[in-house]
Amino acid sequence: MHLQNNSLEWIITYYAIIKIGAVIVPLNFRFVGQDILYAAKISSPRAFILGSEFLPVVQPIQKDLKTVASYICVGAEVPDDMIDYQSITANGDISEAMVDVDDQHDLAMMFTSGTTGDPKPVLHTHYSLNNTAIGNGMSYFVEKNDNYVFFLPLYHSGTMFLWAPFYATGATGTILREFTNPKWIIEAMAEEKGTDILFVVPIAVAILNAIKKGDLSLADYDLSSWRYMEIGAQPVPFDVMKRLVETLPCGCSNIYGITEGGGGGLFNLYPEEVLEKPGSIGKPTFGMDARIVDFEGNEVAAGEVGELLLKTNRMMKGYYQNPEMTAKTLKDDWLYTGDLVKADDEGYIYIVDRAKDMVTSGGENIFPVEIEDALMDHPKIDDVACIGQKTGSP
Amino acid sequence: MTEEELIEYAKTKMATYKVPRKVLFDAVMRNPTGKLMKPQMREKYTGRKEAFKKLD
C-alpha cells in the first residue's frame, strides 16, 4: 500500500514497487482509517509506504493491519517501528532492479472513488499501464522537452494517464503538493516553464473567477511555454470551456476517462474542435474503440442515447477477487462504462449522464447534467448538482 | 439568489418537467478530482433533507 501526498517520492516509490514485480495499491489521500482497513482486507499488503503526514491516520490502525510486515515512512520524523525512506536511499542498493515480469502480471490495484457503494479494486497490469503511456503519449503529443505541472492527486487515474507517458518519454514533470490557490498554479506554470496542465472544473472556475475579479492577471506572467490545458473528470459546462479558451494562452481540450478503461484521456476533444462541438468529449484516442448500445445491447443511431462501451489495450483485467462485478462490467472484451452518451453525425461523442443518476419523471427520462449545465450559465451560480428524489407517486 | 429566482430562471432554459422542484443552498460535494459525489448527496439530502435549511 502506498499513501503519500503528491511528491517526488510518490513517483519514485511507485515505480520502485512495480519494477520489483510487486503490486501497488495507491491510496486516496482522503481515506480515513476505516477506508485503509477496507483496502487492506482486499489487498493483503505486505508493506506500507506512507508519507509522515499520514502517521495520525495510520498509527491508530497499525495493530489491525495484520498482513503488513514492514512500514516505510517518508518524512522528517519517522517512528521507531518504521523504516526511514532516507536510510534506504542513503544506504540501500540503488542499482537497477531487473525482475522479469510478464505483460499480464498484475501491476496496480486502484480503488475507485466509489460512485456506487464501497470502492471497487480495479486491477491493472503491466500491459495496460504500458498501453496507457503509449496511447496518451501519442494522443497528447508528449515529447521529451515537455514539462507537465501536476497538482491534482497522483494516485488518481485521471492524473496517471499523463504521468505514465511523461515518465515513459523521459519528459519533465513538476509536482505540486496540492492545490492552494489560483495564483500559485499560474506562478508555477511561469516559473517552471510548464507546457501542459490538467484542470478540473472547480479549479478552472476558481482561476477564471480570480481573473475576472482582478485578483490575478495572466499578463503579469511569462506563460510563453504553455501549450495545452486538458480538462475533464466531469462534464465541462460549455460556458466554462468558452471562458478558458478566451482567457488562457494555450490550447484547451476536453478529456474523458474511466479508471477501468485506463484512466483519463480515453477520449479527447482537441483545441481546434472545442468551440465547434460544444459539450462533446470528442473521439476515442489512440488504440480505443467505442460503441453506443441500448439496454438490450443493440447499437443506437446517431443522436440517440445509449451506454458507452469501450475496447482497448489500456483496459483493466477486472475487479480484484470479484468475478460477479467483473462479469457485469467486462463482456466479450467490451467495457460497459455506465455512462450514457450520444454521438453526432460526425462521430463526436457527448456525455448525457451516468446511467445511475438518471431521473424518471412522469415517464420522461431526465439527465441531471443537462439541468446542471443550463443552471451553470447563470452568472450567480458557481457550482450546482441535481439529484432525484423519490416522490412516491407515479 | 433565491429558490424562486433559480426556479424562474430554470423555466426559461428547459422543458417544464425538467425544472427542479426543490432548491437547497449548500456546498456541492465533489471528490478530489471534482467529480460530483451524487450517491453521497442523495443519501445526505433525500434521506434527511429536513436537516438542511432552505434559503429564502
Side-chain angles (χ1 to χ4, degrees), chain A residues 219-231:
Chain A
D220 296 344
Y221 301 90
D222 175 8
L223 298 169
S224 54
S225 57
W226 194 352
R227 295 191 309 147
Y228 295 110
M229 182 283 309
E230 288 92 19
I231 185 165

Side-chain angles (χ1 to χ4, degrees), chain A residues 291-301 304-307 309 336:
Chain A
R291 289 174 66 206
I292 306 171
V293 300
D294 62 21
F295 291 115
E296 276 95 49
N298 306 309
E299 215 140 323
V300 302
E304 281 176 30
V305 176
E307 184 176 0
L309 271 50
Y336 284 66

Side-chain angles (χ1 to χ4, degrees), chain A residues 354-375:
Chain A
R354 287 291 296 168
K356 290 189 178 77
D357 291 338
M358 197 175 80
V359 177
T360 311
S361 172
E364 295 279 4
N365 290 338
I366 300 175
F367 306 112
V369 168
E370 282 181 13
I371 300 169
E372 289 158 7
D373 228 8
L375 295 179

